[in-house]
Amino acid sequence: MESAHAGPDRLSVPDHSHIDNVVAVMSGKGGVGKSSVAALLASTLRKQGYSVGILDADITGPSIPRLFSLRGVPKSSPEGMLPPQTPSGIPIMSINLLLAHEDDPVIWRGPLIARAVQQFWSEVVWGNLDYLVIDLPPGTGDSPLTVLQSLPLDGIVIVSSPQEMALMVIKKAIRMARSLQVPIIGLVENMSGICCPHCGEIFPVFGDSRAASTCSEEGLRWLGNIPLDPVLASVSDQGRIEDYEVDFLEAIPDVLSDVKGGV
Ligand code: ADP
């Protein structure tokens, strides 16, 4: 099926796969929790009963397989590569699954990185997916630009931290997505205050959240805030990110259908 935002310069969905919605997760810079939000979004959608895959396009900093304790090697078939699946049934393709050792660095220049992402799109047998979640490379440089330009994305979730909001790094990401005419589903502020492990109260270490005001200035939907939470750090380190729940991510299918319908 053609995506709403397939265009002359964008790749179409390969014949061996049927992908209804392609959602990318983007950040203005690294380390703000982009991969965590991509993984949480995919696991939330899976728990809602959707078929979901994850394409890890963060080629030089791939962390998706580790968040799900996934170690399988993609198998080959006449149609293309078969991605390994998590126990809950999320197929994942990541460069980490192809490396001899998961801590081997990928020392590649832009064109090779772009080629790898395009192969993950075209040569992986994704099958029938309601959603493909793409963990973009961080920032607004050459690698995320290539992905935004070449894949038929239906929408982007932008992840930021409170400090990034203060530094306005996030506005570069918003403007980049808009200049490439990829619809923005909304903004998630991550690491927004710290969650006390004893009482659960959220303490605003970085001052009051600016997420809502930035969204209203930019005309964006504010999807919600995720606090710095030792439980999230711990389940991530143990490869059990599917055990963590972020309720507001359950609204993404409805928000995305509004975005696709032009609401
Ligand atoms: P990015 O993809 O933006 O580089 P990651 O998702 O890899 O960022 O997160 C960076 C680190 O911060 C990881 O170790 C992750 O487990 C941790 N982390 C992310 N968000 C949170 C949070 N809300 N609470 C606690 N730790 C977090």
Side-chain angles (χ1 to χ4, degrees):
M1 177 187 157
E2 287 283 296
S3 165
H5 295 280
D9 302 328
R10 293 194 161 112
L11 297 167
S12 53
V13 177
D15 290 344
H16 49 62
S17 299
H18 179 112
I19 305 172
D20 283 341
N21 299 283
V22 186
V23 177
V25 182
M26 182 184 190
S27 64
K29 64 182 179 73
V32 300
K34 169 185 57 62
S35 302
S36 306
V37 171
L40 289 165
L41 172 59
S43 68
T44 304
L45 293 167
R46 186 74 199 103
K47 284 174 202 165
Q48 288 176 299
Y50 295 108
S51 52
V52 191
I54 309 179
L55 188 164
D56 185 358
D58 193 350
I59 300 290
T60 55
S63 50
I64 294 290
R66 193 167 249 264
L67 293 172
F68 293 89
S69 301
L70 190 69
R71 282 194 196 84
V73 178
K75 297 201 168 67
S76 52
S77 78
E79 285 84 33
M81 275 185 286
L82 302 172
Q85 300 204 358
T86 67
S88 67
I90 301 176
I92 292 178
M93 190 62 210
S94 168
I95 197 80
N96 247 11
L97 301 169
L98 300 169
L99 299 175
H101 307 103
E102 67 166 2
D103 42 11
D104 286 346
V106 176
I107 311 167
W108 290 354
R109 293 191 195 280
L112 261 188
I113 294 176
R115 178 86 191 106
V117 173
Q118 285 166 6
Q119 282 182 299
F120 286 179
W121 172 264
S122 306
E123 295 174 25
V124 169
V125 183
W126 290 105
N128 288 332
L129 291 182
D130 297 315
Y131 294 91
L132 180 67
V133 175
I134 300 186
D135 184 17
L136 286 178
T140 49
D142 182 50
S143 299
L145 173 67
T146 309
V147 182
L148 293 183
Q149 280 180 321
S150 57
L151 300 189
L153 306 179
D154 292 294
I156 292 183
V157 172
I158 296 184
V159 182
S160 68
S161 67
Q163 287 160 309
E164 209 194 358
M165 211 79 81
L167 293 171
M168 295 298 144
V169 179
I170 197 61
K171 293 204 172 170
K172 291 186 196 292
I174 296 169
R175 283 174 199 161
M176 180 173 173
R178 287 197 168 139
S179 70
L180 296 169
Q181 294 170 345
V182 184
I184 301 175
I185 298 171
L187 184 115
V188 172
E189 186 181 88
N190 186 32
M191 307 186 175
S192 169
I194 187 151
C195 181
C196 171
H198 301 295
C199 66
E201 191 183 333
I202 294 174
F203 180 71
V205 255
F206 304 112
D208 290 336
S209 168
R210 297 194 193 189
S213 60
T214 302
C215 284
S216 81
E217 275 167 37
E218 294 289 327
L220 283 187
R221 285 177 183 80
W222 171 41
L223 298 169
N225 288 1
I226 304 175
L228 259 174
D229 184 351
V231 176
L232 176 53
S234 158
V235 293
S236 301
D237 288 349
Q238 294 169 37
R240 295 191 295 112
I241 196 153
E242 287 171 284
D243 291 353
Y244 198 81
E245 312 266 334
V246 177
D247 293 349
F248 68 79
L249 292 175
E250 290 171 9
I252 298 274
D254 288 342
V255 179
L256 180 60
S257 63
D258 284 353
V259 166
K260 288 174 87 166
V263 179

